[in-house]
Amino acid sequence: MTDLIIFEELDEIRDMEPAAVALGNFDGVHLGHQKLISKAVECAKQRELKSAVFTFSNHPRDLLPKAKKVKSILYKNEKAEIIESLGVDYLINIPFTKEIMNMDPVSFIEEILLNRLHMKAAFCGFNYRFGKEAAGNPRVLENIGIDRGFTVYEMPAYRIKGNVVSSSLIRTMIASGQVERCKTYMGRNYEIGGEVVVGNRLGRKLGFPTSNLVIDPDMVTPPNGVYVTYCDYNGVRYPSVTNVGNKPTIGRYGKNVETHIFDFDRELYGKKIIVEFLKKTRDEVRFDDVKELSEQIVRDCREAKEYHEMLAEQERQEQEFSAAARKEKAMPDDDENREDR
């Protein structure tokens, strides 16, 4: 696989080879996005083109007057890593500016998609909009494509369990604490990453040392509460339990992510970790004293460990089933190989 080439400013784009281009915001790069991008990659291979993803580093709605800021699901580097894993050659991740917002749809196609990206095939969702007052849509792309010699693939609504997969649906699930549903629609667990910072060290005093992450206000985050999690550090995935909240029992603190890794005694201050959220077990509450809090932490750890044990057993059974299926497939069919006697 070739390395992903990333452009973060429109003026950086020079001498791009003709490409099949996936168009969209791709916030979250959920399974619907992945299917669309994969179709662009497949087309590029068939037609001997480069594959590209054209998106914006900020959400277009953020430029609308009085609009509420749309919080991100993925960090910029995570978004790039997932897109690269799909085999994409170019990622155009540029700022959405007032100049781009006010371009008429035809100018957007001509000046950016054709003159800059040398687009030969466009891939977009049924609800893709572009240009001034969002007047551009797949029909406009198709009409221009007839004259300018590029094809258009419009992907219909992508559904899972009857729900249209969308970034807004995933944001709602995260913000309401339904983190166990995210993997179904994203193809991976919802996660928060960052550098471990020094906390109040109360967890260590209580016998439950924690690694603390500061929450980025630009990112969508789950509600305060306790979650069963994995903690990824240095390429290893550790079972853990996580509290998201403000520590109301011991004082006034900003919202943060506080993770206790089971059977782990290394100091992680200043190290990068990723916390994967599997399930919410309870809301955050204020206890009368630290002793009551400590007793609840014991119960939280027990419940999280039981959940991890259940997952480990499920994984073991799935591996055994897969191994048995492969073995059966490899065995010769007695009826086909039996000699006539």
Side-chain angles (χ1 to χ4, degrees):
M1 184 187 298
T2 58
D3 292 335
L4 179 69
I5 297 172
I6 302 175
F7 298 110
E8 295 185 332
E9 296 289 342
L10 199 56
D11 290 340
E12 292 177 1
I13 305 173
R14 293 186 179 89
D15 302 321
M16 249 187 75
E17 297 179 64
V21 184
L23 304 165
N25 193 51
F26 303 116
D27 184 15
V29 198
H30 55 60
L31 290 176
H33 291 153
Q34 291 177 38
K35 182 176 180 180
L36 181 68
I37 293 170
S38 294
K39 283 192 171 292
V41 171
E42 182 182 351
C43 170
K45 290 177 180 177
Q46 291 174 347
R47 296 174 56 179
E48 297 184 346
L49 302 168
K50 292 294 184 179
S51 56
V53 169
F54 180 85
T55 187
F56 297 112
S57 54
N58 55 319
H59 201 287
R61 283 211 297 268
D62 292 346
L63 265 66
L64 298 177
K66 299 180 181 179
K68 185 178 179 181
K69 183 174 176 60
V70 178
K71 295 199 173 187
S72 300
I73 298 170
L74 291 174
Y75 294 99
K76 182 172 69 173
N77 64 305
E78 293 176 314
K79 188 174 183 178
E81 287 170 4
I82 296 167
I83 288 172
E84 183 174 26
S85 74
L86 297 171
V88 175
D89 296 307
Y90 296 109
L91 170 59
I92 299 92
N93 190 37
I94 63 173
F96 183 75
T97 62
K98 288 187 177 180
E99 181 182 6
I100 293 176
M101 182 175 69
N102 289 319
M103 292 179 78
D104 68 83
V106 175
S107 297
F108 178 85
I109 295 170
E110 294 279 355
E111 295 177 23
I112 296 180
L113 300 183
L114 296 179
N115 294 349
R116 296 272 189 176
L117 276 58
H118 305 297
M119 185 178 74
K120 297 298 182 183
F123 291 77
C124 64
F126 70 100
N127 55 354
Y128 180 63
R129 297 293 181 271
F130 60 95
K132 188 174 182 180
E133 298 179 350
N137 56 39
R139 302 288 81 72
V140 174
L141 277 170
E142 288 174 349
N143 290 335
I144 300 295
I146 293 170
D147 293 332
R148 294 303 306 271
F150 64 84
T151 56
V152 178
Y153 171 82
E154 177 189 348
M155 193 172 91
Y158 187 74
R159 297 178 183 271
I160 295 177
K161 296 184 176 180
N163 296 314
V164 175
V165 183
S166 67
S167 297
S168 58
L169 172 66
I170 292 167
R171 284 192 194 90
T172 298
M173 289 189 297
I174 295 168
S176 61
Q178 301 176 70
V179 293
E180 72 280 359
R181 298 181 62 197
C182 290
K183 189 172 184 178
T184 299
Y185 299 93
M186 296 172 67
R188 61 193 180 278
N189 294 319
Y190 162 71
E191 59 189 37
I192 294 176
E195 184 177 300
V196 176
V197 299
V198 177
N200 58 15
R201 297 182 182 270
L202 177 64
R204 185 169 294 279
K205 293 176 183 176
L206 296 176
F208 303 94
T210 58
S211 298
N212 294 265
L213 296 176
V214 176
I215 286 179
D216 186 334
D218 292 333
M219 306 297 290
V220 61
T221 54
N224 293 1
V226 176
Y227 297 81
V228 183
T229 55
Y230 284 119
C231 183
D232 302 338
Y233 168 64
N234 202 25
V236 181
R237 200 185 199 199
Y238 299 93
S240 58
V241 62
T242 296
N243 183 79
V244 176
N246 307 90
K247 307 184 182 79
T249 303
I250 57 174
R252 300 175 65 88
Y253 292 87
K255 184 175 179 178
N256 80 339
V257 174
E258 192 173 12
T259 298
H260 172 65
I261 306 171
F262 298 126
D263 305 317
F264 187 89
D265 58 3
R266 295 182 60 181
E267 192 67 83
L268 294 180
Y269 294 131
K271 306 295 185 182
K272 295 285 184 67
I273 65 171
I274 297 171
V275 180
E276 297 181 52
F277 287 75
L278 306 180
K279 177 188 176 184
K280 184 180 181 186
T281 58
R282 68 172 177 87
D283 292 334
E284 183 180 54
V285 296
R286 184 183 185 280
F287 296 97
D288 292 334
D289 52 43
V290 173
K291 180 177 181 293
E292 191 176 335
L293 169 62
S294 179
E295 291 170 348
Q296 181 59 53
I297 292 174
V298 171
R299 291 191 289 270
D300 292 335
C301 288
R302 184 187 305 122
E303 184 175 356
K305 283 183 176 180
E306 289 174 353
Y307 191 83
H308 278 296
E309 288 169 0
M310 180 196 70
L311 291 180
E313 177 61 21
Q314 286 180 350
E315 184 176 354
R316 185 189 66 79
Q317 291 179 1
E318 289 172 1
Q319 289 175 347
E320 287 183 353
F321 180 80
S322 296
R326 288 195 299 271
K327 184 177 180 180
E328 183 177 348
K329 188 176 182 180
M331 290 176 65
D333 190 312
D334 287 343
D335 290 335
E336 290 181 5
N337 291 279
R338 186 181 294 118
E339 294 181 4
D340 291 333
R341 295 197 171 121

